[in-house]
Amino acid sequence: MGKKLLIHNEHVAGIHTYEVYRQMGGYASVEKAIKTMTPDQVTDEVKKSGLRGRGGAGFPTGLKWSFLAKPEGVPRYLVCNADESEPGTFKDRYLMEKIPHALIEGMITSSYALGANTSYIYIRGEYFYVARILETAIQEAYTNGWLGKNILGSNYSLDLYVQVGAGAYICGEETALLESLEGKRGNPRIKPPFPAVAGLYGAPTVVNNVETIAAVVPIVNNGGEEYAKIGVGKSTGTKLISASGHINKPGVYEIELGIPVEEFIYSEEYCGGIRNGKKLKAVVAGGSSVPILPTELILKTAKGEPRLMTYESLSDGGFITGTMLGSGGFIAMDEDTSIVKNLFTFARFYHHESCGQCSPCREGTGWMEKILKKFMNGTANEADVDLLWDIQSKIEGKTICPLGEAAAWPVAAAIRHFKQEFIDIAKSKKFVDVSHYNRLNKTKEAV
Amino acid sequence: MSGQVHGAQHFDAKKRAELKFSDAAMETVQTIIKRYPEGKHKSAVIPILHIAQAEFDGWLSPESMDYVASILNIKPIEVFEVASFYSMFNLKPVGKCTLEVCRTSSCWLCGAEDIVKYIEKKLNIKDGETSADGMFTLKTVECLGSCGTAPMLQCGASFHENLTYDKVDKIIADYKSEGKRKSYTDLDYKNTL
Ligand SMILES: Cc1cc2nc3c(=O)[nH]c(=O)nc-3n(C[C@H](O)[C@H](O)[C@H](O)COP(=O)(O)O)c2cc1C
Ligand code: SF4
Ligand code: FES
């Protein structure tokens, strides 16, 4: 069994309540930080831990914290990114729903390190019921003296609030999130300035993912060096993986970074193999934005080495033969799956979610969806494959935020690794979708 | 009168004058506004629009957006701008229960299209339409963070996961017999797994 630091208590009855969470050692990191450490010492432990942002980009958290501008007399903010809308990703929801105090505790310890006296958790609107769970937990934390004025008799005070969104993937992009939190449309800002200098209400701000903030708790409790002992190279610690698709045991798994992808897919401890005795065809390893890989390349790198669940190993080979760990949204597809149709669902998603500020993204996502739609209704021809390739290649690096390229990468990868499937549909002038047959426990026929 | 927020729709001054949050909703609005620093109350617009949608028949009419603007002392266009950006806000009337079925990758891989077809047939409506009795609206939506328990649908605050046709039958029957409007802000959410 791998070591677990975030959801080790997931099956303890009542762990969502303050009493049980506290009995299991909860809020120790707040005590330790406020009573025995300076804010900078907390940041140093986070640096030593090697923790990298769990929201998708994998930027070193300690380094990000050290960039925070600290002008006198100006408030600083910590904003937790609980927007979780990258298709295939549901780990933050799981953590917040099962162990809400883990996030609250992380928010308090992290806010102390950053010198923030007001912090927000921005959660996607669809997770309204999770926001209720968090609000109850926050109330319990106030009642027990972990939030509010002069926490533990110190001169540190913190107020923590939950802000709900209203349905917009783009609000997961940190500057769009800040715009939304300011009560505006979620249009990403042009950078620089970065949030560390001018973020929420123009004040220095750190935005971190739910899982990143929760990881600060074990880092402070056990020390950064202890955390860094887990993992391989620059991929330290544990990671929550959301596993979905055609596997026997979908769900959220906490893994030690560094386990082989093959073990993750086939071992009983994790996904338990492919369902219905089918063979694996392809995997999207880190949420919809990362390149899809065929079985041979997800299990082994192009050099023939076993692919590991680390930032470095998954990206080995660049986009030609590799992919990314991303948000940890791991989607497995069996041999009957149409890669083109799967791509269509992604293209439709990105078109729907583009904020529309930049022409390459607004128009490009629209065109990609439109062309893929032609494949779906059997009117595409072979030249459309090249057209699709051409469009995706004209988005990357030409937009305000990374959504544009996040929309282009899946298209590029699907064509790169599964071009024949596109050509077959174009040649036969029809698309037969067998991929979803027998997925449901059908007791009645729909059509 | 602060004026019209949505050119395409009729603005009814009389209806606007009659709009008022319940006391409980007004109390929530006041606590929400206090979450932000002095002068930053515009931040409350999204949470308050959620309340307005729940209080006023499940959608945001030009009148209710104007009302929200007056509470926050901002221009009606600032409210409309926001309301029209986010997919959870309805700018047109909807049924009492909106069945929002996820259609993205993981759900599609696990049969979401069959669930959509089944509901379409059962309620005799297409995606985006409302049933004749005004009870249900069907809407396909993007990933709702339940990919591991796909297929799934959301109705109001509740998540219904690992759907089968039988489960859909039961969900629809239950909502129908309850007969109540379901909102994202409901406290009595009932998730089913
Ligand atoms: C289109 C887009 C969507 C994003 N969605 C999320 C999200 O849902 N959750 C998240 O934590 N980060 C998301 N990010 C990444 C954030 O911009 C940001 O990098 C992250 O919140 C930083 O936190 P971390 O360093 O702890 O990962 C998204 C980025 C982009 C470009
Ligand atoms: S890349 Fe797309 S989502 Fe990002 S700012 Fe431009 S138009 Fe908006
Ligand atoms: S793909 Fe349907 S909930 Fe994520």
Side-chain angles (χ1 to χ4, degrees), chain A residues 132 163 181 341-342 444, chain B residues 36 43 86 105 113 169 185:
Chain A
R132 302 285 188 203
Q163 173 88 352
L181 183 44
K341 173 96 187 216
N342 182 67
K444 297 188 188 85
Chain B
Y36 317 101
S43 282
Y86 297 92
S105 173
E113 278 188 347
D169 285 344
T185 53

Side-chain angles (χ1 to χ4, degrees), chain A residues 2 8 34 40 66 119 148 163 210 217 240 248 287 334 347 365 439:
Chain A
H8 50 292
I34 293 186
D40 286 346
S66 66
S119 296
Q163 173 88 352
V210 171
V217 172
L240 297 178
N248 280 314
D334 74 15
T365 53
R439 298 288 187 248

Side-chain angles (χ1 to χ4, degrees), chain A residues 87-89, chain B residues 102-108 142-147 150 152:
Chain A
T89 316
Chain B
C102 172
R103 63 184 187 184
T104 321
S105 173
S106 305
C107 282
W108 164 68
E142 302 296 349
C143 180
L144 290 175
S146 310
C147 331
M152 68 83 62

Side-chain angles (χ1 to χ4, degrees), chain B residues 9-24:
Chain B
Q9 284 197 36
H10 180 65
F11 186 88
D12 186 337
K14 185 159 162 287
K15 194 172 146 203
R16 163 66 181 87
E18 284 162 4
L19 282 183
K20 198 172 172 309
F21 279 160
S22 63
D23 290 346

Side-chain angles (χ1 to χ4, degrees), chain A residues 442-447, chain B residues 99 101 112-133 136-140 165 168-169 172 176:
Chain A
K442 284 190 200 176
T443 49
K444 297 188 188 85
E445 262 319 299
V447 268
Chain B
L99 305 175
V101 187
E113 278 188 347
D114 290 345
I115 293 292
V116 172
K117 279 186 205 150
Y118 186 71
I119 297 175
E120 284 182 337
K121 198 173 168 206
K122 189 176 167 78
L123 299 177
N124 194 24
I125 50 176
K126 291 267 168 248
D127 182 11
E129 294 176 354
T130 300
S131 60
D133 60 358
F136 295 103
T137 298
L138 173 64
K139 186 175 171 191
T140 56
Y165 296 149
V168 170
D169 285 344
I172 289 179
K176 208 167 189 165

Side-chain angles (χ1 to χ4, degrees), chain A residues 163-177:
Chain A
Q163 173 88 352
V164 290
Y169 166 66
I170 191 57
C171 290
E173 194 280 334
E174 56 187 11
T175 61
L177 185 155

Side-chain angles (χ1 to χ4, degrees), chain A residues 79-271:
Chain A
V79 177
C80 172
N81 189 341
D83 193 59
E84 190 170 75
S85 314
E86 171 97 354
T89 316
F90 46 99
K91 65 185 177 82
D92 296 341
R93 173 184 166 212
Y94 185 82
L95 182 71
M96 292 187 286
E97 180 174 347
K98 297 287 171 197
I99 321 178
H101 284 283
L103 175 59
I104 311 304
E105 178 177 358
M107 284 300 284
I108 301 167
T109 305
S110 306
S111 298
Y112 171 74
L114 297 166
N117 299 113
T118 308
S119 296
Y120 297 93
I121 299 171
Y122 181 98
I123 187 165
R124 67 180 297 187
E126 294 89 341
Y127 287 0
F128 231 112
Y129 82 93
V130 186
R132 302 285 188 203
I133 293 171
L134 289 175
E135 274 168 353
T136 304
I138 288 174
Q139 217 39 61
E140 289 175 320
Y142 269 106
T143 308
N144 290 282
W146 302 103
L147 280 169
K149 292 234 169 334
N150 304 107
I151 299 168
L152 300 177
S154 71
N155 57 12
Y156 180 65
S157 303
L158 174 66
D159 285 312
L160 177 58
Y161 304 104
V162 179
Q163 173 88 352
V164 290
Y169 166 66
I170 191 57
C171 290
E173 194 280 334
E174 56 187 11
T175 61
L177 185 155
L178 296 173
E179 287 287 297
S180 181
L181 183 44
E182 291 181 7
K184 300 180 219 154
R185 294 165 77 90
N187 288 339
R189 298 173 181 168
I190 293 174
K191 286 155 274 193
F194 289 93
V197 175
L200 183 62
Y201 309 126
T205 303
V206 165
V207 181
N208 273 133
N209 173 258
V210 171
E211 186 188 347
T212 313
I213 288 169
V216 171
V217 172
I219 288 170
V220 168
N221 282 337
N222 314 328
E225 277 169 23
E226 210 41 46
Y227 185 87
K229 283 182 189 159
I230 305 170
V232 179
K234 286 188 175 158
S235 296
T236 61
T238 63
K239 172 90 189 85
L240 297 178
I241 305 291
S242 322
S244 68
H246 300 146
I247 46 179
N248 280 314
K249 300 194 307 167
V252 174
Y253 295 102
E254 181 170 3
I255 61 159
E256 288 188 18
L257 285 168
I259 65 165
V261 174
E262 187 159 6
E263 177 186 339
F264 183 68
I265 298 174
Y266 293 101
S267 82
E268 279 309 310
E269 193 179 343
Y270 303 112
C271 303

